[in-house]
Amino acid sequence: MTAEGVRETPAAAARAGRPLWAGMRLVRLYAASRRVPVALAAIAACAIGLRITLMGHWDTYGAFQLPLLIEAGAAVAITATAASPLGEPERITGRWLPFLRLATALALTVVAAGALAAAGAGAHLAGGTLDVVRNLAGLTGIGLLCAAALGGGLAWVGPTGYLAVGAYGLYTQWHHPALTTPWIWPARPPHDLGAAICAGLVFAFGLAVITTRGARDPAGE
Amino acid sequence: MTAASAPAPPRPLPATRRPGFAAARLLRLELRHNAMPWMLPVAVALFWLTTYRKTMAMPPLWNLRAAGMQSGVVVAFVCPVAGAAAWMGSREARRRTADLVTITAQSRWARQLATWAATTGWAMVGYLGCVGVLYGVTAQQAAWGGPLWWPAAVGAASLPVMSALGFAAGALVPSRFTAPLVAIAAFFALVLSTELIHGSQSYWQVSPVVTGPWDTGPDAGVATFYPYLPDLPIAQVMFLIGLTIAVLGALALPRGSGGRSLRAAAAAITGAGLVAAGTAVGLAGTGKLDDHGMIAIPALHNAASDRPIRFTPVCSHTAIPVCLNPAYASYLAPTAAALKPVLTEIAGLPGAPARVSQGAATYEQGAGNGVGIGLAGPTTSGTPPVYHMLLPDQQLGPTLTTSEFASEVRSTIGPDIVANVIGDGPGASQAQHAVAAALMMAAGLPVHGPAPRTAVTANSLLEPGTPAFAAAQRFAALPAPARHAWLMRHLAELRAGQITLAQLP
C-alpha cells in the first residue's frame, strides 16, 4: 500500500471518526488487502464453470469428480485470502484482526456454498447440495489449516493434495477395495453422518486456528 | 604516453564469468531456493496412497504394474508440480524483485529457465525415487520378464511439461490465486480429458494417463505373449517434449525477455515445439487397437513387435499338466489345484487333452470404448490334443483374489474341459449332457443354477426331476474306477451321440 492510497479529504477524515464509518472502512481495507474481490470473482467463475459443465454429458467418474474439482477451486480461492501482505505491523496494531479473519473466511465460504448450490439447481449435480456444502467446508478447513502452518501463499497445497485423494476415493467406489474412511469425505454418500462430522470438524478447526493465529507469514514473502 | 592511454594489461576473466560455470552456479542457487522440495512429501504421499498401494495389490506382472504406475504417478504429481512451478514462476513479482533482477547480466529467459530446470529437477528426483521403489519391489516379485521402460519414460516426460505450464502461468499472471488455480486446472485437464476418448482412434489418447484402450484399465493379457508396443508411448513422449519446448520458448517472446536475436530464436523454438506436439496428436489419432490389446500407430509401428515372444512354459505335475506363460507362474498353483479334480476324472480317456495350456488373448474394438476379448486360435489343437484356455485375469474385469480366481477357473474352465472331452454342446444328446453333468458332480465342481440342485454344465442346464438329471446323479454315484472304465469303452460312441440315457450305468 502506498501513501497515495491512504490520502483522504477532510470530509472523509471526519466520516472516519464515526465508529460505523470507521468499521466499514476497516472492513473495506481488510478485504482489499486480502484480495477478497478477486476471490469473489474466482468463486463466481467456479459457479459459472460448474453450470456450464453440468450441461455436458459426463460418465459416472466425470459426474462425481467434476463437482469436487470445482469445489476445490472455490476452496483455494477462499484460502488464498488468508495471506497478509502487511505482516508483523498489522498483527501488532490490529485488535480487530481475529474477527475480520473469521468473518472473511465464513462469509466467503457461505457465498461459495450458495453460488455452487445455485449453479447446480435444476441440473443433475451428482451428490446434490449437501455434498457441495460438506466438501467445500472440508476443503476450506484444510486450506485454512495449511495457511496457518505453511503461510497464506502456500495454503493451496492442502486442498489440491486432498483433491487428488478425494478423486481417488471416488474412483475406488468402482474399483475395489473402496476407501470407506469418513476422513475421505468426498467418497462418502451425501447423507453419511461420519463424513459430514469429519468435514465439519476440519472446517471448525481451520476456522478456529486461522481466527486466533492468522496465516503464517514466511520471511521474505 | 599518459597513464590514461597506456594499454592495460589483459586481466584473466574471473571464474564466474565462464558461461557454463555461471549457469551451473545459477542452477545450484535455484535448487537451494526452490519450493518443489517442500512439495515432494505431498507428491510422494499421494503416490503412495493412489498408486503404490493399488499397483502393489495387482499380481506381480510387469505389464500390469507398469501401466498402473504410469496412469497413477502422473495424476499424483500433477498438482504439486504444476502448483510449485507456478509459485516459482511468480516469485519475482511476489517478492517485488523484478526491477532488481532486470539489471543482472543474465537475460530474463535464462533466469527463468534456471528456475524451471531446478523445479523440474526436484520433481524428477521425487518421481525417480517413487518409480525406483515400485520397480524394485516388482523386480523381486515378478517371475518372468523385465521392467517396461516406456511407461516410466512417459511419466518422466510429463513432469517437465507440468512444470513448464505452471511456471509460464505464474510468470505471466503473478497472483496469489495463480498457483492454486493452475494446480486445479492441470488436474482437471489431465483427469477429465480422458472423458473425450471414444474408441481407439482418438486424438486424446496422447494424454500421458492413457496406457492402452481407454476404459479397460491395466490388463494382464497384454505384453506377455507379444512385446509391449511402444507406438503410443512414443507419440506421448513426442507430444510432451514438444509442448515443453513450445511453452519454454514462449516464455522468451514477451518484450524484455532478451535481445532481438534471442526472441527470434525463441519464436523458432516455440514453432518447432508446436509442430512436434501437433504431429504427435495427429499420430495418436491414427492409432487403433491391435489384435494383441495395445494401441498400434501405423507410422510408428515396427512389424517386429507383432512376433510372439518365445518362452518356456511353467507346468504343473497334475494327471494332465497345466502349463502357463512363465509371467503367470504365480497363477500356476491355484489354477492346477482348481482343475485337478476334473483333470483326474478325464485323464487317460480317448480324446482327453495331453496338456492344458494358457493361450494368448485376441482383442477387438467394440462400440465406443468397448473391447471384446477372446482366445486367439481354437480351443483344442494339435496331436496329441492340447486344450487352450484364457485365465480369468486375462479378461476384462477387476483383479481377483486367489480364492476368487480359483473359483472362477473351477466354474468356467473346468466345465468347458469336460464338455470338450464328452462332446457336450448345443446339439449334443441327453446322454452327453448327463455324463458331462455327472463328471462335474464327481469332480466336486459347483452344481448351481436358478432352481435348487439344477446342474449347469458348460452347454446345458439339467433340471431336477428330469431323466437326464437322474442319470447324471446315478453316473456320478459310481465308483471312480467304474466310471472311468465305462468311459474308456464307450466314449467314442457317446461323442457320436449313439448312447441313450437308458444305456448309461
Coordinates of all heavy atoms in Angstrom, one line a residue, chain A residues 68 131 134-135 162 165-173 179-181 184-189 195:
Chain A
L68 N -16.3 -32.0 -7.5 CA -15.2 -31.9 -6.5 C -14.1 -31.0 -6.9 O -13.6 -30.2 -6.1 CB -14.7 -33.4 -6.2 CG -13.6 -33.5 -5.2 CD1 -14.0 -33.1 -3.9 CD2 -13.0 -34.9 -5.2
D131 N -23.7 -32.5 -0.6 CA -22.3 -32.9 -1.0 C -21.4 -31.7 -1.2 O -20.3 -31.6 -0.8 CB -22.4 -33.7 -2.3 CG -21.4 -34.8 -2.4 OD1 -21.1 -35.4 -1.3 OD2 -20.8 -35.1 -3.4
R134 N -20.7 -30.0 2.2 CA -19.7 -30.8 3.0 C -18.3 -30.7 2.4 O -17.3 -30.4 3.1 CB -20.2 -32.2 3.0 CG -19.3 -33.1 3.8 CD -19.6 -34.6 3.6 NE -19.3 -35.0 2.2 CZ -19.8 -36.1 1.6 NH1 -20.5 -36.9 2.3 NH2 -19.4 -36.4 0.4
N135 N -18.2 -31.0 1.1 CA -16.9 -31.0 0.5 C -16.2 -29.6 0.6 O -15.0 -29.5 0.8 CB -16.9 -31.4 -0.9 CG -17.4 -32.9 -1.0 OD1 -17.4 -33.6 0.0 ND2 -17.7 -33.3 -2.2
Y162 N -5.5 -32.8 -1.3 CA -6.7 -33.5 -0.9 C -7.7 -33.8 -2.0 O -8.4 -34.8 -2.0 CB -7.5 -32.8 0.3 CG -8.5 -33.6 0.9 CD1 -8.2 -34.6 1.9 CD2 -9.8 -33.5 0.5 CE1 -9.2 -35.4 2.5 CE2 -10.8 -34.3 1.1 CZ -10.5 -35.2 2.1 OH -11.4 -36.0 2.7
V165 N -6.7 -37.0 -3.4 CA -7.1 -38.1 -2.5 C -8.6 -38.3 -2.7 O -9.1 -39.4 -2.8 CB -6.8 -37.7 -1.1 CG1 -7.4 -38.7 -0.1 CG2 -5.3 -37.6 -0.9
G166 N -9.4 -37.2 -2.7 CA -10.9 -37.4 -2.9 C -11.2 -38.0 -4.2 O -12.1 -38.8 -4.3
A167 N -10.6 -37.5 -5.3 CA -10.9 -38.1 -6.6 C -10.5 -39.6 -6.6 O -11.3 -40.4 -7.2 CB -10.1 -37.3 -7.7
Y168 N -9.4 -39.9 -6.0 CA -9.1 -41.3 -5.9 C -10.1 -42.1 -5.1 O -10.5 -43.3 -5.4 CB -7.7 -41.5 -5.3 CG -7.2 -43.0 -5.2 CD1 -7.0 -43.7 -6.3 CD2 -7.1 -43.6 -4.0 CE1 -6.6 -45.1 -6.2 CE2 -6.8 -44.9 -3.8 CZ -6.5 -45.6 -4.9 OH -6.2 -46.9 -4.8
G169 N -10.5 -41.5 -4.0 CA -11.6 -42.2 -3.2 C -12.8 -42.4 -4.0 O -13.4 -43.5 -3.9
L170 N -13.2 -41.5 -4.8 CA -14.4 -41.7 -5.7 C -14.1 -42.8 -6.7 O -15.0 -43.7 -6.9 CB -14.7 -40.4 -6.4 CG -15.4 -39.3 -5.6 CD1 -15.4 -38.0 -6.4 CD2 -16.8 -39.7 -5.2
Y171 N -12.9 -42.8 -7.2 CA -12.5 -43.9 -8.2 C -12.6 -45.3 -7.6 O -13.1 -46.2 -8.2 CB -11.1 -43.6 -8.7 CG -10.4 -44.6 -9.4 CD1 -10.6 -44.8 -10.8 CD2 -9.5 -45.5 -8.8 CE1 -9.9 -45.7 -11.5 CE2 -8.9 -46.5 -9.5 CZ -9.1 -46.6 -10.9 OH -8.4 -47.6 -11.6
T172 N -12.2 -45.4 -6.3 CA -12.3 -46.7 -5.7 C -13.7 -47.2 -5.4 O -13.9 -48.4 -5.1 CB -11.5 -46.7 -4.3 OG1 -12.1 -45.8 -3.4 CG2 -10.0 -46.3 -4.5
Q173 N -14.7 -46.3 -5.5 CA -16.0 -46.8 -5.4 C -16.4 -47.8 -6.5 O -17.3 -48.6 -6.4 CB -17.0 -45.6 -5.4 CG -16.7 -44.6 -4.3 CD -16.6 -45.2 -2.9 OE1 -17.5 -45.9 -2.4 NE2 -15.5 -45.0 -2.2
L179 N -12.2 -47.1 -0.6 CA -11.7 -46.3 0.6 C -13.0 -45.8 1.3 O -13.8 -45.1 0.7 CB -10.9 -45.1 0.2 CG -9.5 -45.5 -0.4 CD1 -8.8 -44.2 -0.8 CD2 -8.6 -46.2 0.7
T180 N -13.2 -46.3 2.5 CA -14.5 -46.0 3.1 C -14.4 -45.1 4.4 O -15.4 -44.9 5.0 CB -15.2 -47.3 3.5 OG1 -14.4 -48.1 4.3 CG2 -15.7 -48.1 2.3
T181 N -13.1 -44.7 4.7 CA -13.0 -43.9 5.9 C -13.7 -42.6 5.7 O -13.7 -42.0 4.6 CB -11.5 -43.7 6.2 OG1 -11.4 -42.7 7.2 CG2 -10.7 -43.2 5.0
I184 N -12.0 -39.4 4.3 CA -12.0 -39.1 2.8 C -13.5 -38.9 2.5 O -14.2 -39.7 1.8 CB -11.4 -40.2 2.0 CG1 -10.0 -40.5 2.5 CG2 -11.3 -39.9 0.5 CD1 -9.2 -41.6 1.8
W185 N -14.0 -37.7 2.9 CA -15.5 -37.5 2.8 C -16.0 -37.3 1.4 O -17.1 -37.7 1.1 CB -15.9 -36.3 3.7 CG -15.1 -35.0 3.4 CD1 -15.2 -34.1 2.4 CD2 -13.9 -34.6 4.2 NE1 -14.3 -33.1 2.5 CE2 -13.5 -33.4 3.6 CE3 -13.3 -35.0 5.3 CZ2 -12.4 -32.7 4.1 CZ3 -12.2 -34.3 5.8 CH2 -11.8 -33.1 5.2
P186 N -15.2 -36.9 0.4 CA -15.8 -36.8 -0.9 C -16.3 -38.2 -1.5 O -17.1 -38.2 -2.4 CB -14.7 -36.3 -1.8 CG -13.8 -35.5 -0.9 CD -13.8 -36.3 0.4
A187 N -15.6 -39.3 -1.0 CA -16.0 -40.6 -1.5 C -17.2 -41.2 -0.7 O -17.7 -42.2 -1.1 CB -14.8 -41.5 -1.3
R188 N -17.7 -40.4 0.3 CA -18.9 -41.0 1.0 C -20.2 -40.4 0.5 O -20.2 -39.3 -0.1 CB -18.7 -40.6 2.5 CG -17.4 -41.1 3.1 CD -17.3 -42.6 3.2 NE -18.5 -43.1 3.9 CZ -18.9 -44.4 3.8 NH1 -18.3 -45.2 2.9 NH2 -19.9 -44.8 4.5
P189 N -21.3 -41.1 0.7 CA -22.6 -40.5 0.2 C -22.9 -39.2 0.9 O -22.4 -38.9 2.0 CB -23.6 -41.6 0.5 CG -22.8 -42.8 0.8 CD -21.4 -42.4 1.3
A195 N -18.9 -38.7 7.6 CA -18.2 -37.9 6.7 C -18.5 -36.4 7.0 O -17.6 -35.6 6.9 CB -18.5 -38.2 5.3

